[in-house]
Amino acid sequence: MCLFLLQGPIQKSTVRSAVTSPLAPLGCDSFSDVPVVVTVIAWRSVVCWLAPEQTAGKRKPFVYTQGQAVLNRSFFPCFDTPAVKCTYSALIEVPDGFTAVMSANTWEKRGPNKFFFRMCQPIPSYLIALAIGDLVSAEVGPRSWVWAEPCLIAAAKEEYDGVIEEFLATGEKLFGPYVWGRYDVLFMPPSFPFGGMENPCLTFVTPCLLAGDRSLADVIIHEIAHSWFGNLVTNANWGEFWLNEGFTMYAQRRISTVLFGPAYTCLEAATGRALLRQHMDVTGEEHPLNKLRVKIEPGVDPDDTYNETPYEKGFCFVSYLAHLVGDQEQFDDFLKAYVHEFKFQSVLADDFLEFFLDYFPELKRKRVDSIPGFEFDRWLNTPGWPPYLPDLSPGDSLMRPAEELAQLWAAEELDVRAIEAVSTSAWKTYQLVYFLDKILQKSPLPPGNVKKLGETYPKISNAQNAELRLRWGQIVLKNDHQEDFWKVRDFLHSQGKQKYTLPLYHAMMGGSEAAQTLAKETFAATASHLHSNVVHYVQQIVAPLGS
Ligand code: BES
Ligand code: ZN
């Protein structure tokens, strides 16, 4: 496959403070802020070449790029820092029978095998993305298509027909116009390492989202929310990643609250909080990466700092600011004004906080930035559990039954009548996820209980939904329920999302000898199919250097 990339004009540096030129290092000088191609670490590659067996259809090869955080510097010459934005155009030539797609506003065919793309709005380099494969599309809304291999396209259309427009329209109501023109979704091959990647105009997603019941739409809402937070207003360096992800979590949950109500949204947020708890338990609260503003040392790849803190602690900080304002509508208006003020620019937390205090002069006068225990400086620069947690009690009606049921399953002597009295048939996927997280926290359960649990709820133990398969796998491993080890193996063979893969390898390596053998065998069999980053991280778990 042959490709030509033409770099568009580089815009003047758009960072509001601390930096005047893209060549000047940012305050937080790091690998990510080195402007041109400097270091290409052998095992990481931006272009992922997949053989036919690695695709859903298994008929034709597939190639895609994943630039975030700092890999696009090895794809084309660029100022590979989120502080700099530029437009681009690209002419891509493909062999017969292949289609190219990119994160661009427009595309046209130039001859039978050439595709010309143009992105006319300035974006940071990490958002330039390309995929080529046996791809077809189907319309799912007035400005949206889904793209997928032919064998997945019907399922993709079924899953998202009509709903994407609702997500976009709600986002527009809350945060201002959607400026990117189209919003399409590309279903990637199973080894795609993320749930979703917010490439402008064309979100890339894992095919795991094809759950058949729209239950995993929160990922699409999340990537849509990046259209305002991340893609339009961008963190100026990767040490302030929470400005992308924390705001996006907040925006995602605002859209979800409007569309699905506070109970469901609080339940989903509670599963996010549980992930933050797990992460801090594993790393220790005081770990320097458990700050919102992290120092990425020179030579460190920002991908290696990726964790739950920017997402969920970031969400808590934005929620805290909303709590200070005290009125949801006013806070929504403020977010709209923030996007308007900084659109197509890159910002630091200081830019945002200064704007916040200027927007709410009464709060500024009250010095809310220095309330003891909740100082803005503490939020940004102190590791640990968030000083403020938003109230998730509107989700109690969904969470409490799940908690109570988990409690019953943790008993030495199972109270079968009480268990049977709880009907889970109407429970939504996230309610089951919440229930399973509680079971996992209480694991290992008394002997025999997990076997009985699996038999009682085949819709959990035989689930096809990836969020349920992950949790069931974690429970199986924590309880050393060897009868179901094959389900862990099958799940890891079926997809390669990082957030599913790493926790399962951690659990296997922390488990029995049989679990460790399962880890080694599964890794040996799947490594050639996984994304290179994921291979690297699994290697560190299964065979750490020096072991
Ligand atoms: N931009 C991220 C994915 C990413 C992060 C790629 C860091 C490379 C480096 C994307 O928006 C994201 O956060 N995806 C989440 C979605 C979830 C929070 C709903 C994912 O993949 O799990
Ligand atoms: Zn995100």
Side-chain angles (χ1 to χ4, degrees):
M1 291 176 196
C2 168
L3 65 91
F4 310 88
L5 257 166
L6 309 175
Q7 185 71 8
I10 293 192
Q11 289 238 322
K12 71 173 173 31
S13 170
T14 47
V15 189
R16 295 290 293 219
S17 59
V19 176
T20 50
S21 142
L23 292 166
L26 298 177
C28 174
D29 194 10
S30 74
F31 190 75
S32 64
D33 304 320
V34 178
V36 207
V37 183
V38 214
T39 322
V40 180
I41 300 175
W43 55 264
R44 292 187 207 260
S45 49
V46 62
V47 186
C48 303
W49 301 93
L50 306 187
E53 318 71 272
Q54 293 170 275
T55 65
K58 307 200 187 309
R59 287 184 33 220
K60 291 190 188 176
F62 193 101
V63 60
Y64 73 92
T65 65
Q66 168 57 44
Q68 194 178 6
V70 292
L71 286 173
N72 268 343
R73 64 189 61 181
S74 61
F75 183 22
F76 52 87
C78 58
F79 291 87
D80 200 6
T81 156
V84 176
K85 298 193 177 190
C86 68
T87 60
Y88 79 91
S89 58
L91 182 65
I92 310 292
E93 184 170 353
V94 301
D96 288 345
F98 285 84
T99 299
V101 289
M102 288 194 84
S103 54
N105 306 118
T106 62
W107 65 278
E108 62 194 66
K109 263 195 121 173
R110 293 218 174 144
N113 290 4
K114 285 188 185 154
F115 297 79
F116 182 70
F117 298 92
R118 198 188 285 283
M119 166 50 85
C120 51
Q121 288 146 317
I123 56 170
S125 56
Y126 75 90
L127 290 176
I128 297 178
L130 165 72
I132 301 168
D134 182 9
L135 291 172
V136 290
S137 61
E139 191 173 329
V140 290
R143 44 186 156 172
S144 299
W145 289 345
V146 283
W147 287 92
E149 291 180 56
C151 63
L152 293 183
I153 197 73
K157 181 169 167 79
E158 177 79 17
E159 193 85 24
Y160 290 113
D161 207 8
V163 293
I164 286 186
E165 186 55 28
E166 275 181 45
F167 302 160
L168 289 167
T170 308
E172 289 194 291
K173 242 181 258 154
L174 290 166
F175 313 118
Y178 176 81
V179 302
W180 306 99
R182 301 201 56 77
Y183 178 81
D184 296 339
V185 177
L186 171 63
F187 287 84
M188 300 294 283
S191 60
F192 185 60
F194 300 104
M197 175 65 218
E198 67 273 24
N199 299 313
C201 308
L202 181 66
T203 285
F204 288 14
V205 295
T206 169
C208 294
L209 297 196
L210 299 174
D213 57 3
R214 303 186 165 177
S215 58
L216 303 181
D218 59 301
V219 176
I220 301 281
I221 299 177
H222 176 95
E223 305 313 333
I224 286 178
H226 274 303
S227 307
W228 295 271
F229 305 98
N231 295 7
L232 201 47
V233 182
T234 308
N235 52 217
N237 65 64
W238 294 117
E240 304 239 46
F241 187 45
W242 77 277
L243 289 169
N244 278 14
E245 296 300 344
F247 275 79
T248 295
M249 290 310 302
Y250 188 84
Q252 171 197 326
R253 289 171 181 156
R254 285 294 300 130
I255 295 174
S256 170
T257 303
V258 171
L259 289 176
F260 308 133
Y264 175 80
T265 306
C266 287
L267 171 70
E268 182 279 317
T271 65
R273 189 178 292 175
L275 289 176
L276 182 66
R277 187 64 269 165
Q278 270 173 31
H279 161 74
M280 290 214 180
D281 287 346
V282 170
T283 55
E285 289 201 1
E286 296 310 307
H287 193 286
L289 289 181
N290 293 336
K291 296 188 255 186
L292 287 182
R293 183 190 278 149
V294 300
K295 176 139 182 61
I296 301 179
E297 300 289 349
V300 171
D301 187 325
D303 281 351
D304 294 345
T305 70
Y306 181 69
N307 69 71
E308 291 298 330
T309 299
Y311 287 80
E312 294 296 344
K313 189 171 176 179
F315 169 69
C316 289
F317 188 28
V318 181
S319 304
Y320 172 66
L321 298 173
H323 161 80
L324 286 178
V325 171
D327 179 271
Q328 187 66 59
E329 211 170 303
Q330 267 190 52
F331 192 72
D332 289 344
D333 285 348
F334 158 72
L335 285 180
K336 208 185 259 182
Y338 166 65
V339 169
H340 183 73
E341 174 74 14
F342 294 105
K343 60 177 183 258
F344 299 116
Q345 302 181 41
S346 303
V347 295
L348 300 168
D350 292 337
D351 301 316
F352 161 66
L353 290 171
E354 191 184 312
F355 185 74
F356 175 80
L357 291 172
D358 287 346
Y359 190 92
F360 295 108
E362 186 56 18
L363 294 180
K364 187 174 185 171
R365 202 188 50 76
K366 285 200 211 143
R367 304 291 320 265
V368 292
D369 56 337
S370 41
I371 299 172
F374 303 90
E375 298 88 347
F376 290 178
D377 182 63
R378 175 189 162 135
W379 273 103
L380 295 178
N381 299 315
T382 307
W385 194 243
Y388 169 87
L389 297 170
D391 174 24
L392 302 183
S393 64
D396 278 351
S397 58
L398 298 171
M399 290 187 276
R400 202 165 295 129
E403 261 162 48
E404 285 166 6
L405 186 60
Q407 193 59 43
L408 290 172
W409 279 103
E412 288 285 342
E413 281 290 311
L414 289 179
D415 182 345
V416 178
R417 286 177 57 157
I419 287 172
E420 282 175 354
V422 182
S423 168
T424 59
S425 56
W427 285 15
K428 296 247 171 59
T429 297
Y430 270 102
Q431 209 173 357
L432 295 172
V433 163
Y434 187 80
F435 166 65
L436 294 178
D437 280 345
K438 293 286 156 201
I439 293 283
L440 186 62
Q441 277 168 17
K442 297 174 195 298
S443 290
L445 300 187
N449 287 15
V450 167
K451 183 175 167 60
K452 188 94 182 59
L453 181 73
E455 288 164 359
T456 309
Y457 310 114
K459 70 169 175 181
I460 290 176
S461 55
N462 296 326
Q464 285 309 303
N465 184 298
E467 292 292 327
L468 297 175
R469 289 175 88 181
L470 165 69
R471 265 71 178 197
W472 183 247
Q474 289 174 303
I475 290 169
V476 161
L477 292 167
K478 190 94 181 270
N479 289 277
D480 203 27
H481 181 48
Q482 297 191 10
E483 221 172 277
D484 272 8
F485 274 16
W486 65 274
K487 293 181 184 168
V488 176
R489 192 191 56 226
D490 279 9
F491 183 47
L492 290 171
H493 275 259
S494 74
Q495 58 73 44
K497 181 175 157 179
Q498 182 168 318
K499 280 194 196 168
Y500 296 156
T501 305
L502 302 189
L504 288 172
Y505 276 97
H506 271 298
M508 285 187 279
M509 292 311 289
S512 63
E513 211 168 293
Q516 294 182 18
T517 305
L518 178 69
K520 287 171 191 154
E521 285 174 2
T522 308
F523 185 46
T526 58
S528 62
H529 282 43
L530 294 172
H531 186 272
S532 55
N533 269 18
V534 179
V535 170
H536 173 73
Y537 297 133
V538 175
Q539 218 147 28
Q540 289 179 339
I541 300 167
V542 174
L545 275 180
S547 71

